[in-house]
Amino acid sequence: MKRSVLVLLALLPIVLFPLEGLAVSPQLEIRDTVAIPPLTVDGVRISELSGLAWDQDEQLLYAVSDKGSIFHFRLALVDNRIKAVDPVYAAKLLDLDGCPLGKGKRDSEGLDVLNAANGRHGDTQLVISFEGTPRIVRFTPQGKAIAQVNFPGPISNRQAYRNGNKELESVTFHPRYGFITAPELPLKGQPINRHTLYSNKGQRWSFDAYPAENSGISDLATLPDGNLLILERAWSGIFNPLVVSLRYLDFSQCSKAGVCPVKDLKTLSSLFLVDNYEGLTHIQGNQYLMVSDDNNEELLRTALTLFTLDLVK
């Protein structure tokens, strides 16, 4: 989304559309939202956050920015309220040689974490997806590249994408399927309203995009039940609302061909929605967080929102 357009958005209430017409569904409720100030930490300004991941062992919340930076936060939650989110570390992402990522290679978007709940300290790895040069790379928590994750098929081909700003916004690690990612918008030659998920083990799953023009995948999260939480965002011009949708994909409901139904859990929509949500993560129990990108504009904010998701069967 262009920054000049986002700056025109005003502060009006978000319209919440409840789940309707579904016999069985997880229940999602938004609980709290706070703004993260644009502070400078270790020489890096907190801005343009696009991905989140929670490290249970280290009790740290990680975030990446569109400018190739990593942030660590200490988080305090009390009774489904965000009491504190304090930055404690920031750094530029480094390549395998220890050099800052160059232009065209530093647009970090999606984030997940490995070894974050195994009861051991010091073995965490971050997994980050990129636009510009579409790829997924494992990093240390301090931001040093370890190795690239290889994916079979078209998503490794930069020319397969509709444009350089519609590439790999999301990544999640699944205990059965490995790393899963998706182009923000479907690849060239594919229906614009039909998303496809890709696993590094070769599996693919497809589903209908949320029924709003240009609804793209901003993030994915593997749920405790082994299914997926999908964050989509749609923008089609200043006279149309920004639509953010949270959706649920149950792998057991997918056909043998990988065609899947999805359930819409919550939709945030307004002509003047300032909070441009791009990242999400599971914290503990039924608690989750999502974060918005302020696009490095003074009139916008970095919103951190806590919501609960009860996996009712």
Side-chain angles (χ1 to χ4, degrees):
M1 188 182 303
K2 293 182 179 179
R3 294 178 181 175
S4 59
V5 174
L6 279 170
V7 172
L8 297 175
L9 303 178
L11 291 169
L12 283 187
I14 296 170
V15 180
L16 299 181
F17 296 97
L19 191 67
E20 294 179 356
L22 296 177
V24 179
S25 175
Q27 303 298 310
L28 189 152
E29 296 293 338
I30 293 177
R31 301 295 185 177
D32 195 18
T33 296
V34 300
I36 300 176
L39 304 174
T40 297
V41 182
D42 296 327
V44 185
R45 187 172 184 265
I46 300 173
S47 181
E48 299 184 81
L49 302 189
S50 54
L52 289 178
W54 173 248
D55 189 336
Q56 180 66 26
D57 292 338
E58 308 296 343
Q59 291 292 292
L60 286 172
L61 179 67
Y62 304 116
V64 289
S65 80
D66 293 351
K67 299 302 182 184
S69 300
I70 180 70
F71 299 92
H72 298 188
F73 298 90
R74 291 290 178 190
L75 180 68
L77 304 180
V78 179
D79 296 330
N80 287 329
R81 304 284 292 182
I82 303 171
K83 292 300 183 181
V85 52
D86 299 319
V88 295
Y89 175 84
K92 295 293 186 180
L93 295 175
L94 306 178
D95 63 19
L96 292 170
D97 297 320
C99 300
L101 299 181
K103 186 177 181 180
K105 293 187 175 181
R106 62 186 177 218
D107 189 358
S108 47
E109 295 285 350
L111 177 64
D112 204 354
V113 64
L114 303 176
N115 306 322
N118 60 8
R120 295 194 294 269
H121 293 281
D123 64 349
T124 299
Q125 293 185 15
L126 307 182
V127 185
I128 302 175
S129 66
F130 290 84
E131 290 186 324
T133 301
R135 67 203 189 281
I136 292 173
V137 182
R138 292 186 290 115
F139 285 83
T140 68
Q142 291 71 39
K144 173 70 163 56
I146 299 171
Q148 185 163 320
V149 180
N150 294 319
F151 275 74
I155 64 168
S156 298
N157 177 10
R158 185 177 183 182
Q159 302 305 314
Y161 293 86
R162 292 177 184 264
N163 64 62
N165 195 40
K166 300 298 179 184
E167 296 175 344
L168 300 181
E169 285 259 351
S170 60
V171 64
T172 187
F173 179 76
H174 192 282
R176 178 177 180 183
Y177 301 120
F179 297 100
I180 299 175
T181 188
E184 182 177 1
L185 290 180
L187 299 176
K188 293 177 181 176
Q190 297 179 352
I192 191 65
N193 63 344
R194 189 75 179 171
H195 290 309
T196 301
L197 305 172
Y198 297 83
S199 163
N200 70 316
K201 294 184 177 182
Q203 297 101 325
R204 298 184 189 182
W205 304 267
S206 64
F207 60 94
D208 289 336
Y210 185 83
E213 187 176 353
N214 295 327
S215 189
I217 296 177
S218 291
D219 209 357
L220 303 168
T222 300
L223 298 172
D225 68 352
N227 295 313
L228 286 187
L229 181 63
I230 301 165
L231 174 64
E232 289 189 37
R233 180 191 51 191
W235 173 254
S236 56
I238 191 170
F239 297 109
N240 296 314
L242 174 62
V243 181
V244 175
S245 55
L246 288 159
R247 317 181 77 200
Y248 177 81
L249 184 148
D250 184 342
F251 284 108
S252 70
Q253 300 301 308
C254 299
S255 71
K256 291 183 179 180
V259 178
C260 309
V262 291
K263 297 177 180 179
D264 298 324
L265 306 180
K266 189 75 70 177
T267 303
L268 289 71
S269 178
S270 171
L271 282 171
F272 306 98
L273 176 62
V274 173
D275 298 330
N276 177 35
Y277 289 105
E278 289 199 8
L280 76 163
T281 189
H282 177 229
I283 300 298
Q284 59 187 1
N286 67 348
Q287 293 178 323
Y288 297 77
L289 287 174
M290 60 182 178
V291 70
S292 69
D293 182 348
D294 70 349
N295 280 76
N296 201 28
E297 296 288 355
E298 291 184 359
L299 296 181
L300 305 180
R301 65 176 183 170
T302 299
L304 187 69
T305 293
L306 174 68
F307 62 92
T308 56
L309 177 59
D310 293 303
L311 300 173
V312 179
K313 294 296 185 180

